[in-house]
Amino acid sequence: MTQVVIVTGGSRGIGAATAVSLGSYRTRVVLAGRDADALAAVGDRVQRGGGTVLTMPGDLTSERFAQQLVAAALGEFGRVDAVINNAGVVGEVVHMSEASADSWRSVYEVNVLAALAMVRAALPALRAAGGRVVNVTSEVAAGPAESIGAYAASKAALSSLTRTLAIEEPDITAIGYQPGPVHTDLMATILRAAPDTMSAAMAEGYRRLAAGGFVDLAATSAKLALLAMRAPRAWTGRIVDHADTEIDGLAAG
Ligand SMILES: NC(=O)c1ccc[n+]([C@@H]2O[C@H](COP(=O)([O-])OP(=O)(O)OC[C@H]3O[C@@H](n4cnc5c(N)ncnc54)[C@H](OP(=O)(O)O)[C@@H]3O)[C@@H](O)[C@H]2O)c1
């Protein structure tokens, strides 16, 4: 039975590359994001690579959309084996003294509450399938993270949510994934703002990253796809890093 995997934030960046990787295993992929044209283009790539795809354009900050997404997956494919909560935003790149409360709120809406809504909507199907939730978090969760405080705090919340989900839901596998620094739109936003909003030392760190420190998009996304398809139950509650060599063992499965 080929697996059914929901990928949020599938229109670009890590989510799009993960969907393409899932397709190469002939997985049935349900892709969500707001940009319908971009989603359709990613959907074509998934199909050309051997996968089956359902695209669902919509805003994940709506709990109703999360429910519709799961209902569409069940209607089309009859099951849900995994949810990858990948959609994320970085928000304003400024010190917290200058950030608006609304900008913190909007970061939490996508990075924490949308992931929670997806978990809640998909849990009955995931319990039935003995499925997986993979929450895409970040090493910045361990902070401090100058000028991306809302982002870092939201990722800390998402990691915590993952660990609690693992003990509350013994029939599923809940893990977090740290993809490492990847050159996507989200990262480009930080890089653009760094020289003007961060201390010289921090901005220099990002400059060096941009000069050759990024993790390969396809490689880290392939690891995320493997976790969604094959992470063992024993890993539940763990935050897995892209550099963790244990993931490579899943490729043989
Ligand atoms: N890039 C990195 O270095 C890095 C490092 C650690 C963790 N991460 C995490 O990896 C994940 C993917 O990030 P990325 O770097 O690939 O970023 P990206 O290229 O900016 O992609 C973000 C994705 O999230 C979707 N999204 C944002 N808000 C949404 C909303 N309200 N409703 C539905 N979809 C929404 C976007 O789709 P639409 O715009 O079409 O809605 C897009 O597909 C994020 O959770 C990020 O925090 C990234």
Side-chain angles (χ1 to χ4, degrees), residues 30-236:
V30 182
L31 278 181
R34 289 163 304 179
D35 185 334
D37 291 343
L39 270 190
V42 175
D44 283 348
R45 287 172 61 202
V46 173
Q47 259 161 343
R48 279 201 304 274
T52 304
V53 75
L54 173 68
T55 55
M56 278 280 288
D59 190 332
L60 286 152
T61 60
S62 151
E63 195 158 357
R64 195 169 141 70
F65 177 65
Q67 290 157 357
Q68 288 168 343
L69 186 55
V70 172
L74 289 172
E76 183 80 11
F77 300 127
R79 57 190 289 129
V80 177
D81 295 282
V83 172
I84 302 178
N85 279 315
N86 164 78
V89 293
V90 70
E92 283 183 291
V93 185
V94 290
H95 281 194
M96 64 179 82
S97 57
E98 293 160 37
S100 68
D102 275 349
S103 81
W104 273 65
R105 212 169 276 123
S106 62
V107 169
Y108 271 69
E109 288 278 353
V110 180
N111 296 3
V112 185
L113 298 175
L116 174 65
M118 280 305 304
V119 166
R120 287 162 58 92
L123 260 180
L126 290 172
R127 287 186 192 124
R132 302 181 181 85
V133 171
V134 185
N135 291 322
V136 181
T137 181
S138 169
E139 60 207 24
V140 302
E146 185 183 5
S147 296
I148 52 171
Y151 178 73
S154 73
K155 292 300 184 183
L158 185 62
S159 296
S160 175
L161 180 158
T162 306
R163 289 188 280 263
T164 301
L165 181 63
I167 61 160
E168 289 182 355
E169 295 294 335
D171 292 337
I172 70 163
T173 302
I175 57 179
Y177 180 59
Q178 298 180 167
V182 191
H183 200 194
T184 61
D185 291 351
L186 183 148
M187 177 58 78
T189 302
I190 302 174
L191 292 176
R192 267 194 308 274
D196 299 326
T197 64
M198 294 182 189
S199 63
M202 191 65 76
E204 174 60 14
Y206 277 104
R207 198 197 59 74
R208 279 210 215 100
L209 190 62
F214 285 124
V215 167
D216 180 70
L217 172 66
T220 192
S221 302
K223 291 179 181 183
L224 175 53
L226 277 176
L227 288 170
M229 293 184 294
R230 297 180 182 169
R233 181 67 53 83
W235 291 13
T236 199

